[in-house]
């Protein structure tokens, strides 16, 4: 399309968004930079650039980019929710909640703002409030699969597994939201001790999920399941699954699992490397989990927690926000 419409802003942002959905984040950022340079008034291009920076883990730059957009577009709901989501990704949960409260007040029609507010409440551990917030969104959007996934995650945290399963897709995932829900179904199987069923789900995700970076969530989850099953071959398989995890947003979880898998396999140098990469870990990975793995596999000291505790903490890092997978692949509104 660009061959015959070289100056078309919509085509340029669409191409950049496609690159981002493919996981080609550096190419996407270059494309967005070009679109912003050629169309400096295009809010879609600027928001897309900010969202790409967030997907790359360059959170300070992403926040600054959103702030710059708001200078001239103070009423733009998409920019406000993107900024609030970036604050949440930074672990600035109280600031994120304030930002979402403001966005909801100014844009009461925005399901995105209301959903984001629910996700922050969940991240803060205010589960009953989060559940009520998701229910409020579903009251007006009963078929909203993103909200259903978020609500299911709260139910999992509350250990209401059967109720959570009722909201999740079954055997035929098609859309990105379906695959996110299918991943969560696997995590419930894992949480309830159905390891073989969980592995079957995660293996299918690795084989069939059509979105490259979304597929990496299944690779990480497969590694968790293999670690929980715990045989020597499973440890090797976990390490192999983690080799395919390259998305920036997934590196912290992957490095926790690498530390565990390599340490348990006696691959000490690789375990040390994984631990070193966790020095700047994000807020949602517990310090006590990293300390326990360090104690076991780097210091070679007696554990302070049992294996079930470790596995549950590792699983929690994938359940804090199932809709994190949406961050890199949500198509922007038309210019």
């Amino acid at each position: 399309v660009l061959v015959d419409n070289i100056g078309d802003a919509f085509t340029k942002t669409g191409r950049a968004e496609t690159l981002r959905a493919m996981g080609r984040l550096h190419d996407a950022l270059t494309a967005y930079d070009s679109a912003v340079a050629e169309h400096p008034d295009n809010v879609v291009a600027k928001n897309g650039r900010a969202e790409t920076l967030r997907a790359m883990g360059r959170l300070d730059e992403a926040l600054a980019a959103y702030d710059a957009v708001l200078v001239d577009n103070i009423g733009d709901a998409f920019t406000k929710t993107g900024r609030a989501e970036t604050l949440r990704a930074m672990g600035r949960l109280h600031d994120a909640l304030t930002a979402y409260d403001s966005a909801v007040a100014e844009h009461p029609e925005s399901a995105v703002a209301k959903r984001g507010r629910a996700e922050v409440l969940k991240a803060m551990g205010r589960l009953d409030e989060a559940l009520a917030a998701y229910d409020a969104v579903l009251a007006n959007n009963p078929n909203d699969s993103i909200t259903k996934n978020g609500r299911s995650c709260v139910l999992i945290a509350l250990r209401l597994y059967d109720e959570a399963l009722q909201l999740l897709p079954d055997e035929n995932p098609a859309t990105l939201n379906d695959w996110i829900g299918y991943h969560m179904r696997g995590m419930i199987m894992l949480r309830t001790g159905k390891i073989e069923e969980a592995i079957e789900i995660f293996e299918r995700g690795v084989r069939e999920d059509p979105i490259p970076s979304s597929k990496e969530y299944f690779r990480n989850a497969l590694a968790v399941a293999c670690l929980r099953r715990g045989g020597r071959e499973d440890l090797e398989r976990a390490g192999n699954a983690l080799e395919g995890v390259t998305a920036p947003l997934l590196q912290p979880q992957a490095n926790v699992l690498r530390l565990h898998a390599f340490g348990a396999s006696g691959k000490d140098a690789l375990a040390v490397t994984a631990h070193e990469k966790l020095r700047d870990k994000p807020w949602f990975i517990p310090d006590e989990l990293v300390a326990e793995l360090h104690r076991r596999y780097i210091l070679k000291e007696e554990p302070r927690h049992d294996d079930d505790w470790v596995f549950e903490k590792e699983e929690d890092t994938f359940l804090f926000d199932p809709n994190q997978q949406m961050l890199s692949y949500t198509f922007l509104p038309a210019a």
Side-chain angles (χ1 to χ4, degrees), residues 212-277:
S213 295
S214 177
K215 188 190 297 284
E216 295 188 21
Y217 279 78
F218 285 96
R219 292 187 184 279
N220 265 352
L222 178 60
V224 174
C226 289
L227 288 171
R228 187 176 270 279
R229 193 161 64 177
R232 176 58 60 178
E233 291 183 0
D234 290 313
L235 294 176
E236 193 70 25
R237 193 176 177 192
N240 291 337
L242 293 167
E243 287 182 3
V245 179
T246 60
L249 286 176
L250 280 177
Q251 289 313 299
Q253 295 101 317
N255 282 320
V256 167
L257 300 178
R258 289 177 183 125
L259 170 56
H260 188 163
F262 294 141
S265 300
K267 298 178 180 179
D268 293 346
L270 293 175
V272 169
T273 297
H275 181 259
E276 289 175 348
K277 291 180 179 178

Side-chain angles (χ1 to χ4, degrees), residues 109-122:
E109 77 291 345
S110 174
V112 173
K114 293 176 181 177
R115 220 168 32 226
R117 180 177 180 275
E119 289 164 1
V120 174
L121 289 168
K122 174 162 56 64

Side-chain angles (χ1 to χ4, degrees), residues 21-325:
M22 295 170 70
R24 294 171 56 182
L25 300 181
H26 291 284
D27 291 338
L29 184 61
T30 298
Y32 275 124
D33 282 339
S34 176
V36 169
E38 296 173 23
H39 306 277
D41 295 327
N42 189 288
V43 178
V44 174
K46 291 179 179 179
N47 278 332
R49 179 179 180 275
E51 198 163 325
T52 302
L53 288 167
R54 187 176 65 201
M56 297 172 78
R58 294 163 60 175
L59 300 180
D60 289 333
E61 293 175 75
L63 186 63
Y66 281 120
D67 285 339
V69 178
L70 283 174
V71 170
D72 297 316
N73 302 274
I74 191 64
D76 187 70
F78 190 88
T79 309
K80 291 176 184 176
T81 55
R83 181 180 183 277
E85 179 56 43
T86 303
L87 288 167
R88 184 167 70 98
M90 298 171 79
R92 294 171 55 180
L93 299 182
H94 291 285
D95 291 339
L97 184 60
T98 298
Y100 273 122
D101 282 339
S102 175
V104 169
E106 296 172 23
H107 306 277
E109 77 291 345
S110 174
V112 173
K114 293 176 181 177
R115 220 168 32 226
R117 180 177 180 275
E119 289 164 1
V120 174
L121 289 168
K122 174 162 56 64
M124 297 173 80
R126 294 162 59 175
L127 299 181
D128 290 335
E129 293 175 76
L131 197 62
Y134 280 123
D135 285 340
V137 179
L138 285 173
N140 296 317
N141 305 272
N143 297 315
D144 183 350
S145 57
I146 302 176
T147 304
K148 288 181 179 180
N149 284 343
R151 186 177 190 275
S152 292
C153 191
V154 176
L155 293 171
I156 294 171
L158 292 168
R159 303 185 184 275
L160 299 173
Y161 301 124
D162 289 339
E163 189 175 345
L165 285 170
Q166 292 175 13
L167 294 172
L168 299 176
D170 47 26
E171 299 302 319
N172 297 297
T175 67
L176 173 58
N177 284 317
D178 289 344
W179 282 107
I180 293 171
Y182 194 59
H183 177 276
M184 292 175 63
R185 178 174 289 273
M187 296 305 293
I188 292 173
M189 296 300 104
L190 197 56
R191 271 287 170 86
T192 54
K194 300 175 182 177
I195 299 177
E196 301 305 322
E197 291 179 50
I199 287 176
E200 184 177 338
I201 287 173
F202 300 144
E203 286 179 333
R204 183 180 177 190
V206 171
R207 289 194 313 271
E208 300 179 19
D209 188 337
I211 301 169
S213 295
S214 177
K215 188 190 297 284
E216 295 188 21
Y217 279 78
F218 285 96
R219 292 187 184 279
N220 265 352
L222 178 60
V224 174
C226 289
L227 288 171
R228 187 176 270 279
R229 193 161 64 177
R232 176 58 60 178
E233 291 183 0
D234 290 313
L235 294 176
E236 193 70 25
R237 193 176 177 192
N240 291 337
L242 293 167
E243 287 182 3
V245 179
T246 60
L249 286 176
L250 280 177
Q251 289 313 299
Q253 295 101 317
N255 282 320
V256 167
L257 300 178
R258 289 177 183 125
L259 170 56
H260 188 163
F262 294 141
S265 300
K267 298 178 180 179
D268 293 346
L270 293 175
V272 169
T273 297
H275 181 259
E276 289 175 348
K277 291 180 179 178
L278 284 168
R279 287 177 179 170
D280 297 321
K281 68 176 182 59
W283 62 271
F284 56 83
I285 294 179
D287 291 338
E288 55 187 347
L289 171 60
V290 176
E292 176 67 20
L293 295 174
H294 179 259
R295 184 180 303 110
R296 290 183 178 205
Y297 300 123
I298 307 297
L299 300 179
K300 310 292 187 181
E301 296 178 354
E302 287 296 314
R304 293 182 182 173
H305 301 279
D306 62 20
D307 289 344
D308 285 339
W309 181 92
V310 171
F311 294 135
E312 185 163 319
K313 293 296 182 184
E314 289 175 342
E315 292 160 11
D316 282 346
T317 68
F318 296 98
L319 290 171
F320 86 98
D321 180 9
N323 295 320
Q324 182 79 2
Q325 287 165 271

Side-chain angles (χ1 to χ4, degrees), residues 1-15 18:
V1 176
L2 275 175
V3 171
D4 298 318
N5 301 275
I6 192 66
D8 184 66
F10 185 84
T11 305
K12 291 175 183 175
T13 55
R15 180 178 182 277
T18 301

